[in-house]
Amino acid sequence: MLWLEKKYINLISNRLPLFHWKTPNLANFRCIFCGDSKRKKSLCRGYFIEKKDKFFYYCHNCSASHSFYDFLKLTDPELFKQYNIEYFNEKDPEKKKFYENNPNNEFKKPVFITSTQLKVLTKISSLPANHFAKQYVVNRGIPNHFHCKLFYAPKFFTWVNTIIPDKFKLNAQDEARLVIPFLDKDQKLFGFQGRSFDKNAQV
């Protein structure tokens, strides 16, 4: 379903550097797998291309090639689950109707990690390969499949103040941090840790 894939491309577009639609069915941005050109920051060689009513990803720099389905699975497993649920509902309206109307069914709509206060942050899995926060996580030996559960906060103190008002004085120097969320069994955020990228940091 082309419209559904396009909807989810737009949902992740704010995490894709320099993303823009060149035509209604052709999107362009900097490749998040290879980081694209290190010398020219405006160069974009990653594309979503429509073929036979589906979108495919291709990078003209590293030659990464994926269906949109696989691209989403690799870069955002949580959103990928949401996509599958919506795809399933659209493909089988009878089952969708059953889940909506059967008062005794046990089906529960899943809660995703990005439904919390973390939704304004960027997942480590969505950062380009050459981003310092991405490299920090990789160098710590954290497996790729956990990168979607870690977040990058470019202004950590400012973000914390949106959750706990006046926790930090904003006249103090703000800093970027790695956010490690603590979630309960229902995926509700009950705490978090902000890890400084500065090895000499006092906190």
Side-chain angles (χ1 to χ4, degrees):
M1 286 179 281
L2 191 67
W3 71 267
L4 184 61
E5 291 191 351
K6 191 168 186 177
K7 171 185 174 179
Y8 277 81
I9 288 174
N10 285 326
L11 285 175
I12 63 172
S13 63
N14 64 334
R15 308 173 206 165
L16 305 176
L18 301 182
F19 177 93
H20 61 285
W21 288 101
K22 296 178 75 71
T23 71
N25 290 335
L26 178 65
N28 181 219
F29 53 95
R30 287 174 64 81
C31 179
I32 61 173
F33 295 108
C34 67
D36 225 304
S37 174
K38 294 182 179 180
R39 290 178 297 177
K40 192 173 182 181
K41 299 301 182 182
S42 62
L43 195 59
C44 298
R45 289 178 286 188
Y47 290 87
F48 282 129
I49 305 167
E50 185 268 328
K51 291 182 181 179
K52 297 181 180 180
D53 207 34
K54 291 184 177 181
F55 278 104
F56 292 85
Y57 176 73
Y58 183 75
C59 174
H60 289 285
N61 185 44
C62 67
S63 299
S65 179
H66 304 284
S67 65
F68 174 70
Y69 184 88
D70 288 335
F71 179 94
L72 189 61
K73 184 177 181 180
L74 285 169
T75 58
D76 198 324
E78 293 293 331
L79 198 60
F80 174 72
K81 294 176 186 177
Q82 185 174 325
Y83 170 85
N84 274 330
I85 292 170
E86 193 164 350
Y87 180 83
F88 167 81
N89 286 341
E90 291 297 329
K91 288 287 285 185
D92 198 331
E94 289 301 318
K95 288 187 178 180
K96 178 183 180 182
K97 184 178 179 181
F98 170 81
Y99 282 126
E100 289 178 344
N101 298 332
N102 181 1
N104 297 318
N105 78 78
E106 298 300 323
F107 178 79
K108 293 182 180 179
K109 186 177 180 180
V111 177
F112 298 98
I113 190 171
T114 47
S115 298
T116 68
Q117 296 92 333
L118 297 165
K119 63 185 178 182
V120 298
L121 303 182
T122 302
K123 292 181 179 182
I124 295 299
S125 59
S126 298
L127 293 173
N130 62 346
H131 193 283
F132 72 89
K134 179 86 166 184
Q135 292 178 344
Y136 174 87
V137 171
V138 171
N139 291 337
R140 292 299 297 266
I142 299 173
N144 288 338
H145 62 276
F146 286 119
H147 292 189
C148 64
K149 297 182 179 182
L150 301 173
F151 293 79
Y152 169 66
K155 293 185 177 181
F156 179 74
F157 298 149
T158 300
W159 176 70
V160 171
N161 280 357
T162 66
I163 303 172
I164 309 171
D166 302 320
K167 174 67 175 178
F168 295 107
K169 293 181 180 180
L170 291 182
N171 58 358
Q173 186 176 359
D174 213 335
E175 65 178 41
R177 288 195 182 182
L178 174 69
V179 175
I180 305 169
F182 303 146
L183 305 163
D184 64 18
K185 61 183 178 63
D186 296 318
Q187 294 291 289
K188 292 181 180 179
L189 183 73
F190 66 85
F192 55 86
Q193 181 183 68
R195 181 67 60 86
S196 176
F197 296 105
D198 182 3
K199 64 180 180 180
N200 299 316
Q202 297 300 309
V203 180

